Amino acid sequence: MSKFLLELDKVSKRFAGTVAVDDVSLSVSEGEFVTFLGPSGSGKTTTLMMIAGFLKLSSGRIMLAGKPLDPLPPYNRNIGMVFQHYALFPHMTVEKNIAFPLEMRKTARDDVKKRVADVLQLVGLPQHGARYPKQLSGGQQQRVALARAMVFQPRILLMDEPLGALDKKLREQMQIEIMRLHRDLGITILYVTHDQEEALVMSERIAVFNDGGLEQVDSPNELYENPRSRFVADFVGETNFLEGRVVSLDAGVAAIEGGGVFAGRAGDDLAAGAQATVAIRPERLQVCRKGETPVQGHSSVDGAVSDIVYLGRSRKYIARLDSGEELVALVQANVRGLDEIEIGSRVTFSWHPNDAKVLGEKSDGKS
């Protein structure tokens, strides 16, 4: 028997000759919170719909607890589903909406009543059972949708951009609620979003989709700190890129010659003389006025400030480098000594080699 609860084995989906999902393989352990992250059209929702049974596979197979899911209709898969727009029945009360999947499964009436009461308590709406969806706020409707998806105790809970219709503050509150439910219940969750911050905050692992395939599957920390492709480095968070040629490799550090000579942690596919890209997060850059000496051992580039963006707790300094490239540094507001920097000021951006990742040309392909 497989040690994984869910397994996708070379799953593909084609629509009239267009490949929407291309040879995706992924294993999910019981109790995991895995997020499918990617831009629109990358294949993440199509993959979720195949797991749910709403779309048929073109090739490959999906296994749940070691048994094939493909022959089973959606209502026999023991999988819960939460949609972005909730899909609540407007003519039914909250209690009736939540009871619906149990009634379809011919659950005993007394058991239905108890389960509905229990799950309403779980999502913090014990007094709302007699209300109709139109009488609820967006956040309350989302809680009802969650309750309905969990009430029949599914093996897996699928969530397709469930917070996309909520405002920022309510979305952040619901993120915490969903994380709490996952922690308390130990339920397996597959969550689809195009919001990088949401994925980083909520997930145990993130599967990054691009053009129908998987670019990288890793923990949030590993994805952010050690992207394996330029696409992942660019899509997950904000990143600066400097182009150049590998001039040396030593103890896991690559030196790159481009608009200067600078260094970073070497990726796996680098070779001396090859073209490469240095990826540096804005918050890892240090800013000083031209003429001041950067920290010893740091790589550095010079340029002129073209824009300063005030963000309250931090500031973005955008500079046009002497090489013609643009770099963005994010500096906390409590960092002293930068008050005299203004648009047009000459500055030096510097970083420790451990704070940059050097990616080879082959790093742009899907894994």
Side-chain angles (χ1 to χ4, degrees):
M1 185 174 176
S2 173
K3 64 178 181 178
F4 297 106
L5 176 61
L6 181 73
E7 295 173 274
L8 281 67
D9 181 22
K10 298 181 178 179
V11 169
S12 296
K13 180 62 181 178
R14 292 178 290 277
F15 296 101
T18 299
V19 179
V21 175
D22 186 14
D23 204 31
V24 166
S25 294
L26 177 69
S27 298
V28 179
S29 298
E30 188 150 14
E32 261 198 302
F33 193 129
V34 177
T35 293
F36 292 177
L37 175 68
S40 297
S42 60
K44 57 190 187 299
T45 294
T46 301
T47 301
L48 201 76
M49 292 300 107
M50 288 190 285
I51 296 169
F54 299 135
L55 290 174
K56 290 185 177 294
L57 283 67
S58 297
S59 61
R61 64 175 186 165
I62 300 176
M63 308 286 286
L64 180 64
K67 298 180 180 179
L69 271 183
D70 312 345
L72 301 178
Y75 54 83
N76 278 343
R77 295 193 174 198
N78 196 22
I79 291 175
M81 185 83 193
V82 181
F83 299 92
Q84 179 176 353
H85 297 293
Y86 318 142
L88 300 177
F89 299 115
H91 62 286
M92 290 185 182
T93 64
V94 166
E95 286 180 340
K96 284 291 187 180
N97 264 283
I98 296 172
F100 182 78
L102 294 175
E103 292 170 349
M104 292 297 97
R105 289 166 173 77
K106 303 187 185 305
T107 306
R109 184 175 299 179
D110 289 346
D111 196 18
V112 169
K113 187 175 180 180
K114 182 180 184 305
R115 287 205 202 179
V116 169
D118 287 347
V119 79
L120 276 172
Q121 186 72 39
L122 189 67
V123 298
L125 296 174
Q127 308 301 323
H128 293 67
R131 297 187 186 182
Y132 288 86
K134 66 181 180 181
Q135 297 173 304
L136 304 176
S137 68
Q140 289 171 334
Q141 289 181 42
Q142 186 58 277
R143 289 170 188 241
V144 174
L146 268 170
R148 186 179 60 184
M150 296 188 300
V151 73
F152 61 93
Q153 300 170 341
R155 293 296 301 272
I156 298 177
L157 184 59
L158 308 181
M159 309 185 78
D160 185 19
E161 307 220 30
L163 309 183
L166 304 179
D167 63 56
K168 179 176 172 58
K169 186 173 182 179
L170 187 53
R171 188 163 66 245
E172 291 173 351
Q173 291 172 353
M174 285 302 301
Q175 288 173 9
I176 294 171
E177 289 297 320
I178 293 169
M179 291 164 62
R180 178 182 60 80
L181 287 170
H182 171 253
R183 183 186 65 243
D184 292 348
L185 299 177
I187 191 169
T188 306
I189 295 178
L190 294 183
Y191 190 99
V192 166
T193 186
H194 62 269
D195 186 318
Q196 302 97 321
E197 185 175 327
E198 188 168 271
L200 291 170
V201 166
M202 300 180 70
S203 317
E204 292 175 325
R205 282 195 301 153
I206 301 172
V208 181
F209 281 74
N210 178 32
D211 196 24
L214 285 177
E215 286 274 345
Q216 187 172 344
V217 182
D218 260 316
S219 68
N221 181 75
E222 189 67 15
L223 267 182
Y224 192 84
E225 301 295 344
N226 290 300
R228 292 205 297 262
S229 71
R230 178 166 181 153
F231 176 84
V232 173
D234 195 26
F235 189 75
V236 181
E238 188 175 0
T239 312
N240 296 290
F241 296 106
L242 294 171
E243 307 296 334
R245 181 179 59 85
V246 179
V247 293
S248 69
L249 290 164
D250 182 30
V253 175
I256 307 299
E257 185 176 35
V261 178
F262 26 81
R265 287 175 290 119
D268 295 332
D269 57 347
L270 293 178
Q275 290 298 118
T277 300
V278 183
I280 321 157
R281 301 293 184 183
E283 68 273 13
R284 299 302 174 87
L285 288 173
Q286 297 182 24
V287 183
C288 62
R289 287 170 294 180
K290 186 74 170 82
E292 295 179 352
T293 304
V295 178
Q296 187 175 3
H298 280 209
S299 295
S300 64
V301 290
D302 297 330
V305 174
S306 57
D307 285 288
I308 300 173
V309 181
Y310 177 74
L311 299 171
R313 291 180 296 181
S314 60
R315 291 178 178 83
K316 279 186 179 178
Y317 292 90
I318 304 170
R320 179 69 59 182
L321 303 184
D322 295 344
S323 63
E325 296 167 295
E326 189 174 82
L327 230 58
V328 179
L330 183 67
V331 181
Q332 295 302 306
N334 61 358
V335 175
R336 303 301 177 190
L338 302 182
D339 295 343
E340 296 179 14
I341 293 178
E342 56 188 21
I343 293 175
S345 295
R346 295 285 296 172
V347 293
T348 297
F349 285 176
S350 66
W351 66 93
H352 191 280
N354 287 341
D355 289 332
K357 183 71 182 285
V358 181
L359 304 169
E361 285 187 313
K362 294 181 181 179
S363 298
D364 284 327
K366 293 191 290 290
S367 59

